[in-house]
Amino acid sequence: MLNIRRWAVAIFALICWAGAARAAGSKPPLTLDEFFNSVSIDQVRTSPDGSAVVISTTRPDWQHNRFRSDLWLYRDGAGLVQLTASGHDAGPQWSPDGRWIAFTSDRGLSEAESKDNADAPDDKGPKTQVYVISPRGGEAFAVTHGDESIHTLAWSADSRTIYFSTRDPWTKEQQETYKKEWKDVVQFRESERGDTIWSVDLVAAIAAHGASPEAAVEPKKLATTADRVGELETSPDGHTLAFSTVSRSEREESREPYGISLVALSSGPVEPARRLIHTLAEAVHIRWSPDSQHIFFRYDNGNPTGPYEDPQSRVYWVSVTGGPASGPATARWGADFTGSLTDYAVTPQGGLLAGGRMGTERQVYFAADPASALAERPGWAGAYGHLSSAAHSSRLAFEYSSLDQPSEVYLAEDLDHLDRAKPITTFNRLFTHRALPEGRPYRWKADDGTTVEGMLIYPPGKLGAEHLRMFTFIHGGPEDADGNHFEADWYQWAALAATDGWLVFEPNYRGSTGYGDAFALGIVPHIVSRPGKDILEGIDALVKEGIADPQHLTVGGYSYGGYMTNWLITQTTRFKAAVTGAGAVEHVANWGNDDTTFDDAYFLGGPPWEAEQNYNAEAAIWQFGKVTTPTHVVGGSEDIRVYVGEDYLLERALHTRGIPSSLLIFPGEGHSLDKDPWHGKIKVREELKWLDKYGM
């Protein structure tokens, strides 16, 4: 009976493979150039009445060696049009009356100035300002003209005022005094400043612009904070402005600066901001409830009023009537949900609409109140993101993708008809005319009995094939997961590797999200050795089942995927080639240079002097005497998320041992290669060459 069942499974796989091969054969393969012309969807905002959607995108500008940021507008009856064309526009927000769209931009600079200064500190380079544009047409115009770049903005409830934040401005005399004393010397901490929150009258700005395009309206100072403003959000009743705070240096070094504060928007004297809740890490994506009684926020570090930890992302709300003295009243939405809440929107009735990651799927979930369970809404298999509800309509806009469906924006009439949503963009239509890879989830048992899952992505037309050369492609984070979604950039290039003939194995190792908090926290304090076992055991299972060819195994990853790659080549000699980027090989220097020191210390059990054994036991560098794998290394010259010195240290170890190696350093790039599209393209081009050269 068992043999008959095996034959049936084999015949079914052959039929699927043959059908897939015929379908793939009718389309040409994806090329490197096409892959890197993909459009990234950054933000989706539904108009208050649900009749329009504004979309922010990023795409490469090969001629000017930079990425373009543009705004697009979909309107009922008019379709999709490009709203702005400067290539410097982002962060769109609808006015509550739907008459205006505000956004931030450093437009007006030359292409060279913008590229050279894109990551400059606030006292150098371009000054990002607030612009507004009518969705009915016309040109955008600036409503701010300050000397400091604007971090974030929010509309007043009556659409007559725009609030925004900047670094505390210095007078001309202060600037000259500082320059005279310090020249070009950088005071690492002493020169850091907090923020000021301002308001500008839109009616006055419109009148001034009508008189002269260069006319400026003087903004009014509303509040100051010793920290940096993360987000601003005005209450629907118009009485209160909420803002979240982060470290003014944007480094996670202290537990003090984080929280949510309130500013009363009365007609009388401005009152000092009131701290509503103090959190031990950043409160993200703050949103008011429709009745102005609560503030929603996403929190990635456990209980916002409890000890710091690194489980899966959650959504909470806090009552605005509380405060640190009385103890803020907070509640977690969907407390029984075992997955990770990646993003969310608030419905007009005050319910929570959340994108939830469970395993390899990201679906839409809904709860009417904090006590209710999150219920999955019927939809398509794949990944939903950028959920955006309308304030006065049942309509919902979102981004959707799957392995064989490229990312586009969709509009649904209501929450019950997600599977009838219509696409309103065709940014990545080209990919639907190419032979894309197909994939499926894969599960195996770890040595401690834990079930671990990942994705297998097959070369086009080879779904279900066996004895394939395999590339183990490890995601970063570690608080992330791979699954049924579309991938097309320098960081996620599994589709290109599969097109090149590789079976791509994407393991969701211990530490990944979508499998429960205990699974996510299962790497403490063994931050590479425990997930390393999970990955190697997955490879063993694939080889044993005859899916992967043991003579052609390769491995790679970036960021935490780089950490894991660097560790795995010290644990086995079975990999014929490795490609790694922005991954540490030790943890002391990286902790000292990282801008997110909290998670390093949390995962390893404390700072280096308190957890010396863990820092050394989980460091790949001490085991490099066993490495034989030819390894290709990349890094950004300005990376401080994972100190670029780790890339040099890795290359030096490989070179000293006489192991084939290569190191590419991308000038001006930080951890994310988002300055020059050529850098990401060259990165992947050379990584594919390396895999083919040594892994074949």
Side-chain angles (χ1 to χ4, degrees):
M1 183 68 177
L2 182 60
N3 288 337
I4 294 174
R5 186 176 299 149
R6 284 178 176 171
W7 273 108
V9 171
I11 292 170
F12 177 74
L14 266 174
I15 293 171
C16 292
W17 182 13
R22 285 194 300 271
S26 63
K27 297 179 180 180
L30 191 62
T31 68
L32 180 76
D33 289 343
E34 292 169 343
F35 184 83
F36 278 96
N37 275 322
S38 65
V39 176
S40 172
I41 298 165
D42 302 323
Q43 285 184 305
V44 177
R45 301 279 192 180
T46 311
S47 66
D49 66 0
S51 67
V53 181
V54 64
I55 303 159
S56 173
T57 64
T58 299
R59 55 191 171 97
D61 182 341
W62 303 108
Q63 181 180 357
H64 298 103
N65 305 332
R66 60 179 293 271
F67 287 96
R68 294 183 57 88
S69 297
D70 298 305
L71 304 184
W72 303 76
L73 180 69
Y74 167 85
R75 289 174 54 201
D76 286 344
L80 184 72
V81 296
Q82 188 166 346
L83 185 64
T84 67
S86 77
H88 297 263
D89 309 324
Q93 291 196 31
W94 287 93
S95 61
D97 63 9
R99 295 179 59 196
W100 299 98
I101 297 169
F103 60 94
T104 56
S105 179
D106 61 5
R107 56 169 57 193
L109 295 166
S110 69
E111 298 292 349
E113 287 175 317
S114 177
K115 181 178 183 297
D116 291 343
N117 296 310
D119 201 33
D122 281 350
D123 55 346
K124 297 179 181 178
K127 303 300 185 288
T128 301
Q129 303 297 332
V130 175
Y131 286 73
V132 296
I133 189 171
S134 169
R136 298 292 175 181
E139 293 295 324
F141 62 94
V143 297
T144 65
H145 300 78
D147 293 330
E148 295 286 345
S149 283
I150 288 166
H151 306 326
T152 184
L153 67 90
W155 284 94
S156 64
D158 63 6
S159 303
R160 296 176 61 89
T161 304
I162 295 177
Y163 304 104
F164 62 95
S165 61
T166 70
R167 188 176 63 164
D168 288 338
W170 273 359
T171 65
K172 185 177 181 180
E173 290 72 23
Q174 286 175 308
Q175 295 175 20
E176 291 176 349
T177 299
Y178 187 87
K179 185 175 182 180
K180 181 178 180 180
E181 181 175 2
W182 293 103
K183 308 301 182 186
D184 60 349
V185 175
V186 176
Q187 286 185 294
F188 181 59
R189 296 190 191 279
E190 292 82 356
S191 62
E192 295 167 358
R193 293 181 246 161
D195 269 13
T196 296
I197 299 173
W198 310 82
S199 67
V200 62
D201 185 280
L202 179 63
V203 176
I206 293 173
H209 177 73
S212 170
E214 303 302 322
V217 175
E218 189 71 22
K220 296 180 180 179
K221 182 182 290 189
L222 189 63
T224 60
T225 170
D227 307 308
R228 183 182 177 94
V229 174
E231 296 176 82
L232 294 167
E233 188 78 4
T234 311
S235 62
D237 63 14
H239 296 161
T240 312
L241 179 69
F243 65 93
S244 61
T245 50
V246 299
S247 164
R248 60 189 182 188
S249 68
E250 298 185 271
R251 299 186 301 270
E252 295 180 358
E253 299 177 301
S254 168
R255 303 281 169 83
E256 294 305 315
Y258 303 101
I260 299 174
S261 297
L262 304 176
V263 177
L265 299 175
S266 62
S267 57
V270 177
E271 299 179 4
R274 172 173 70 91
R275 175 68 70 92
L276 175 64
I277 182 174
H278 173 241
T279 57
L280 298 182
E282 184 178 2
V284 182
H285 197 61
I286 62 172
R287 294 290 181 268
W288 283 89
S289 61
D291 63 5
S292 300
Q293 295 301 302
H294 292 84
I295 298 174
F296 289 80
F297 61 96
R298 199 190 80 208
Y299 195 65
D300 301 339
N301 302 103
N303 188 324
T305 59
Y308 177 96
E309 59 178 358
D310 271 312
Q312 303 175 111
S313 297
R314 305 167 179 173
V315 174
Y316 292 84
W317 78 358
V318 57
S319 170
V320 297
T321 59
S326 60
T330 61
R332 179 182 173 185
W333 285 69
D336 295 333
F337 184 67
T338 58
S340 179
L341 299 181
T342 54
D343 64 336
Y344 73 91
V346 180
T347 68
Q349 295 75 32
L352 178 70
L353 194 61
R357 184 192 296 277
M358 288 283 284
T360 57
E361 295 285 317
R362 289 205 318 262
Q363 293 294 308
V364 178
Y365 295 81
F366 173 75
D369 54 66
S372 301
L374 284 168
E376 183 178 348
R377 309 309 299 174
W380 305 308
Y384 290 82
H386 293 306
L387 305 179
S388 176
S389 58
H392 309 297
S393 169
S394 63
R395 277 185 157 184
L396 169 71
F398 54 85
E399 177 191 12
Y400 168 79
S401 75
S402 64
L403 280 176
D404 58 356
Q405 288 292 324
S407 299
E408 301 291 357
V409 179
Y410 292 74
L411 184 61
E413 290 302 317
D414 54 55
L415 185 57
D416 295 325
H417 296 92
L418 294 179
D419 54 353
R420 300 182 194 173
K422 64 178 182 179
I424 59 174
T425 66
T426 55
F427 295 134
N428 294 303
R429 180 170 53 186
L430 172 69
F431 291 89
T432 65
H433 300 291
R434 296 295 179 266
L436 295 179
E438 296 177 273
R440 64 180 178 91
Y442 179 79
R443 297 178 182 87
W444 66 98
K445 287 285 187 180
D447 56 296
D448 61 357
T450 300
T451 299
V452 188
E453 185 178 51
M455 286 293 292
L456 288 179
I457 301 178
Y458 290 81
K462 292 190 177 182
L463 180 65
E466 296 183 343
H467 207 63
L468 297 170
R469 56 181 181 138
M470 188 171 79
F471 173 43
T472 299
F473 196 12
I474 308 170
H475 70 74
E479 294 131 311
D480 199 357
D482 281 313
N484 184 13
H485 64 278
F486 183 74
E487 304 173 306
D489 57 37
W490 62 269
Y491 176 69
Q492 296 182 311
W493 47 278
L496 207 56
T499 299
D500 193 45
W502 293 94
L503 169 66
V504 181
F505 172 41
E506 297 180 322
N508 289 335
Y509 50 82
R510 219 79 56 101
S512 301
T513 57
Y515 301 94
D517 287 348
F519 190 90
L521 297 175
I523 63 175
V524 179
H526 309 294
I527 74 169
V528 288
S529 60
R530 177 62 266 177
K533 289 181 181 179
D534 290 346
I535 295 168
L536 290 177
E537 288 159 357
I539 295 171
D540 288 340
L542 287 162
V543 169
K544 184 177 180 180
E545 292 184 34
I547 298 172
D549 181 351
Q551 301 305 313
H552 297 284
L553 300 176
T554 61
V555 66
Y558 190 89
S559 190
Y560 197 85
Y563 278 60
M564 293 309 310
T565 301
N566 301 344
W567 173 261
L568 288 173
I569 61 176
T570 72
Q571 303 300 297
T572 179
T573 59
R574 69 197 308 183
F575 295 119
K576 305 303 181 185
V579 291
T580 180
V585 290
E586 59 78 50
H587 306 293
V588 178
N590 193 57
W591 173 86
N593 289 276
D594 194 347
D595 64 340
T596 59
T597 59
F598 286 1
D599 58 355
D600 287 29
Y602 174 78
F603 285 129
L604 286 163
W609 53 90
E610 293 179 3
E612 178 183 353
Q613 182 177 354
N614 292 341
Y615 276 74
N616 287 330
E618 298 294 307
I621 191 65
W622 304 124
Q623 302 191 46
F624 254 70
K626 300 182 290 184
V627 175
T628 62
T629 304
T631 303
H632 178 83
V633 189
V634 300
S637 67
E638 308 301 319
D639 192 353
I640 58 171
R641 176 60 48 84
V642 178
Y643 174 44
V644 67
E646 299 291 327
D647 302 311
Y648 287 105
L649 178 56
L650 170 58
E651 193 278 340
R652 176 67 59 84
L654 294 165
H655 180 76
T656 300
R657 298 240 21 255
I659 297 167
S661 60
S662 175
L663 172 62
L664 300 180
I665 297 295
F666 302 110
E669 299 282 6
H671 193 60
S672 297
L673 307 183
D674 57 5
K675 301 298 184 295
D676 187 335
W678 288 103
H679 292 159
K681 187 173 183 178
I682 291 170
K683 168 190 177 290
V684 175
R685 182 192 73 193
E686 296 307 306
E687 287 172 329
L688 283 169
K689 287 181 181 178
W690 192 269
L691 293 178
D692 288 343
K693 179 178 180 179
Y694 291 100
M696 295 284 279

